[in-house]
Every structure is written in structure tokens, then in C-alpha cells.
């Protein structure tokens, strides 16, 4: 179970890195000043930082097999999940705007929120794998399935 959680966490992180890179590349940080992005930079980078710290703690747990580290990772995942839900809730209107805009002229690129460039399958896979990771980490911390 520990290794399964590690694998899902790493794959989830890869999707997250892709979306973070896309958001930065399309001006997500610059758009904070103009109100173009609906994703606040502190939320984006807080989500990233807590998830990365949690992953490092989880790797140490897998090596050291200390229950306290598993619970620490789980505790770090809770605010990561909360921040993820906040970003999802703020991204859904951007997705709807993209769908309703269709073939209409979009205007200058600067007016398009950076998160509009997130591929829907990546967002869905990231969220699904994050939920699976959270459950696997909890089960491991509880000692279900052995360590």
C-alpha cells in the first residue's frame, strides 16, 4: 500500500507540475496584478509547496517505516486537498467560459486566464489520482494492508 501511494503521489505530482508550468508559461503570475487569472498565486504555490513537502515526508516514511511520518504526510495532504478544491472551484467558470466562447474571437491573449490552457484530461486525472493518493496514505497510516 505504501508503494502504491508513492506511485500515485508521483504521477499526481507530474500532472501538477505540468499544470503549474502551463499556468506560469501563460502568464498566471503576471495576471495576478491585472485580475486576469482566477487562481491566486498564494493558493497555487501553497498547494504546490505543501504537496511537495508531503511527498518528501512520504518518501522518508517509505524508507524509515515510522507511523508518525505517515500521519504527518496525511496531515499535509488535507490542506493540499482543500487548496486543490479551491482551485478547482475557481477553474470551473474558466472552463465554462472556454466552452461557451467556442469559435468566437477571444481577443488578445492577455485577457485569457492562464488556467484556460489546462487540458481537461490532465485536470481530471490530477484530481482523481490525488483522491486515490489521499485514501492510500490514510489506509497506510492506519496500518491497513501492511507496510
Amino acid at each position: 500500500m505504501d508503494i502504491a501511494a508513492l506511485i500515485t503521489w508521483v504521477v499526481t505530482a507530474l500532472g501538477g507540475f505540468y499544470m503549474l508550468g502551463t499556468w506560469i508559461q501563460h502568464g498566471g503570475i503576471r495576471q495576478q496584478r491585472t485580475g486576469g487569472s482566477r487562481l491566486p498565486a498564494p493558493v497555487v504555490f501553497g498547494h504546490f509547496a505543501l504537496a511537495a513537502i508531503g511527498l518528501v515526508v512520504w518518501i522518508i516514511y517509505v524508507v524509515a517505516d515510522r507511523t508518525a511520518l505517515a500521519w504527518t504526510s496525511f496531515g499535509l495532504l488535507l490542506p493540499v486537498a482543500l487548496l486543490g478544491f479551491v482551485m478547482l472551484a475557481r477553474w470551473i467558470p474558466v472552463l465554462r467560459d472556454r466552452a461557451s466562447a467556442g469559435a468566437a474571437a477571444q481577443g488578445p491573449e492577455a485577457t485569457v486566464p492562464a488556467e484556460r490552457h489546462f487540458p481537461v484530461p490532465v485536470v481530471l486525472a490530477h484530481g482523481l489520482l490525488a483522491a486515490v493518493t489521499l485514501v492510500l496514505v490514510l489506509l497506510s497510516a492506519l496500518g491497513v494492508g501492511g507496510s
Side-chain angles (χ1 to χ4, degrees), residues 5 9 58 70 73-74 77 132-142:
W9 202 327
W58 188 255
S73 289
F74 180 73
L77 276 178
V132 170
T133 301
L134 186 68
V135 170
L136 289 174
V137 168
L138 175 60
L139 291 175
S140 290
L142 291 169

Side-chain angles (χ1 to χ4, degrees), residues 51-62:
I53 293 166
L55 177 56
V56 169
V57 173
W58 188 255
I59 291 168
I60 296 169
Y61 161 72
V62 169

Side-chain angles (χ1 to χ4, degrees), residues 2-3 5-6 10 18 33-34 42 48 50 58 93 95 107 114 132:
D2 302 346
I3 300 301
L6 178 62
V10 168
Y18 177 79
R33 288 177 254 150
T34 63
F48 165 75
L50 288 172
W58 188 255
L95 177 65
V132 170

